[in-house]
Amino acid sequence: MDNRADQGGWSRRRFVGAMAGTAAVVTVPAPAAPPPDPAPAPQRRKAEAGPRPLYLGTYTSVEGGGKGVTVAKYDPVSGAVTDAEPLAEIPDPSYVTVHPDGHTLYAVDEREDGAVTAVRLADGQVLGSRSTGGSGPCHLSVHPSGRWLLSANYGSGSVTVHPLDASGALGERTALVTHSSPAPGPGQHGPHAHQFITSPDGGHVLSVDLGTDTVYTYRLDTEHGTLTEVSQAHTRPGAGPRHLTFHPNGRYAYLANEVDDTVAVCAYDPATGRLTIGEPQSSGATGDATNYPAQFVVTPGGDFAFLANRGHDSIARYAVEEGGARLRLLDTVPVDGDFPRQLALAPDGRLLFTANQRSGTVSVFHVDTGTGALSRAGEPFPSPVAVCAVPL
């Protein structure tokens, strides 16, 4: 979402409005000590030669918006983005993701009557759409098994599961759960599910809800696609958590709190699925501009984390220390665009992409893998109302 005051409609995610009152402050537990024998960090992939695809999502129902999902090309060495072409005319595909096998793209249809759509990448053929059973779906992800699509309905505060067949097509939903408790936080009129992801170990699925100041953990029945809630983690009232990103070792995660302009380190227990949210920290934003932290990404080796700051229009750079248990703010870098809604790293971690909603651009940065330093890779690439950029 894009503003701090709840105005009663999911469409407010698209525009910044009035700021809500100051949130109450309570003490939250610090992350637990690192467990023994953490999982090893994954090996960094090498950059592949030749142009790679960059999938772009946008809003289609706003003035100056796009026409659906487009695909551009990027050079994995120089970072240059070129040749954007239409892929599929999907209404309001504000978030897209790609199946682990690389054959199918999935997009939310962020409308009052929410849906998700599957697109075959080989020829752009739409494989069909399915209702999410809620309004304003804003995020989706594929379970590592490749058999289930997870989506979050912002407007109705619910999460949905759809089965995926061998072709990548969607089946009828197998689960729909609305976040009915706890009660909405300060300034909110209801739950607002903003993200639905799988833990790195694959044992649990987690949903971040901005409206209830809660991260919900579920166990997904991988045979039937049903959900069982196993725990809740609560931020301080009014924090407005938006996105959670795991460290590669799977023991820690980093939470962007949109409403109170903070971030937090979280400890995660794979055995139980329990998340413990640490003390709020700075987003790095300074000055008079109202800031809305959007999303973290973590480098493949787990040494650095980057945060998109909308309003401050910057990327905050953090050193990841103590095996993932600590974030140390290093600096902020201007995105050379307006309202960076989403961040994504190239598979090898050497390029960072920001989708800048208000300027309608995608900025690209080189990432120094030794220091985490960012340097701009040319001029921003124009893309109408760019709200999602996914490099493969």
Side-chain angles (χ1 to χ4, degrees):
M1 79 100 160
D2 292 345
N3 65 346
R4 299 187 178 188
D6 193 328
Q7 299 165 355
W10 61 266
S11 61
R12 68 192 177 84
R13 284 180 17 89
R14 307 179 187 192
F15 307 100
V16 174
M19 184 172 65
T22 303
V25 178
V26 298
T27 302
V28 292
D37 302 319
Q43 294 296 311
R44 183 178 293 116
R45 288 175 53 181
K46 294 182 178 179
E48 299 183 40
R52 302 288 301 155
L54 177 69
Y55 297 101
L56 303 170
T58 184
Y59 283 118
T60 61
S61 60
V62 300
E63 184 177 355
K67 298 186 181 299
V69 179
T70 59
V71 56
K73 297 176 183 177
Y74 76 94
D75 186 293
V77 177
S78 71
V81 180
T82 57
D83 303 330
E85 297 180 350
L87 177 69
E89 290 191 13
I90 298 169
D92 290 327
S94 63
Y95 201 92
V96 302
T97 193
V98 175
H99 193 283
D101 67 12
H103 295 157
T104 312
L105 177 141
Y106 301 96
V108 299
D109 308 355
E110 193 182 321
R111 298 288 182 95
E112 185 66 35
D113 248 354
V116 286
T117 298
V119 181
R120 187 167 59 209
L121 290 177
D123 56 6
Q125 176 69 38
V126 174
L127 300 178
S129 298
R130 298 282 184 175
S131 169
T132 61
S135 63
C138 63
H139 184 270
L140 78 177
S141 63
V142 180
H143 187 266
S145 67
R147 296 179 54 203
W148 307 101
L149 184 71
L150 314 174
S151 56
N153 294 308
Y154 179 85
S156 51
S158 58
V159 292
T160 307
V161 180
H162 286 88
L164 303 175
D165 67 19
S167 73
L170 295 150
E172 289 290 346
R173 67 176 178 267
T174 55
L176 174 63
V177 177
T178 300
H179 297 155
S180 57
S181 71
Q188 304 295 330
H189 293 219
H192 292 306
H194 219 309
Q195 185 189 34
F196 200 18
I197 59 172
T198 306
S199 61
D201 62 286
H204 297 88
V205 292
L206 297 92
S207 176
V208 180
D209 194 295
L210 182 149
T212 63
D213 294 323
T214 301
V215 181
Y216 300 82
T217 299
Y218 298 93
R219 187 171 294 280
L220 172 68
D221 183 323
T222 54
E223 291 301 315
H224 303 98
T226 54
L227 296 170
T228 302
E229 184 179 313
V230 297
S231 69
Q232 297 181 6
H234 306 291
T235 67
R236 63 181 182 175
R242 188 179 196 272
H243 269 241
L244 183 78
T245 302
F246 277 92
H247 186 274
N249 67 17
R251 307 291 185 173
Y252 293 95
Y254 311 112
L255 186 63
N257 294 319
E258 174 177 325
V259 178
D260 74 354
D261 188 19
T262 64
V263 304
V265 178
C266 307
Y268 176 72
D269 181 357
T272 64
R274 183 172 295 279
L275 193 77
T276 303
I277 300 175
E279 296 291 341
Q281 299 178 221
S282 171
S283 67
T286 57
D288 296 330
T290 302
N291 188 60
Y292 310 93
Q295 180 183 6
F296 270 109
V297 292
V298 183
T299 54
D303 298 321
F304 301 96
F306 303 106
L307 173 73
N309 278 319
R310 298 167 298 168
H312 193 245
D313 294 338
S314 67
I315 302 168
R317 183 174 64 111
Y318 296 85
V320 178
E321 300 174 339
E322 299 178 17
R326 182 186 179 203
L327 288 180
R328 179 167 57 88
L329 180 64
L330 298 175
D331 58 19
T332 59
V333 178
V335 296
D336 199 19
D338 191 349
F339 223 63
R341 168 79 167 260
Q342 181 254 358
L343 293 180
L345 285 162
D348 67 352
R350 296 179 183 273
L351 292 174
L352 177 67
F353 298 79
T354 76
N356 307 315
Q357 180 176 355
R358 288 178 174 175
S359 56
T361 57
V362 176
S363 299
V364 188
F365 296 85
H366 294 288
V367 181
D368 186 307
T369 56
T371 66
L374 300 175
S375 57
R376 200 176 72 179
E379 294 298 316
F381 181 74
S383 179
V385 195
V387 290
C388 189
V390 177
L392 294 191

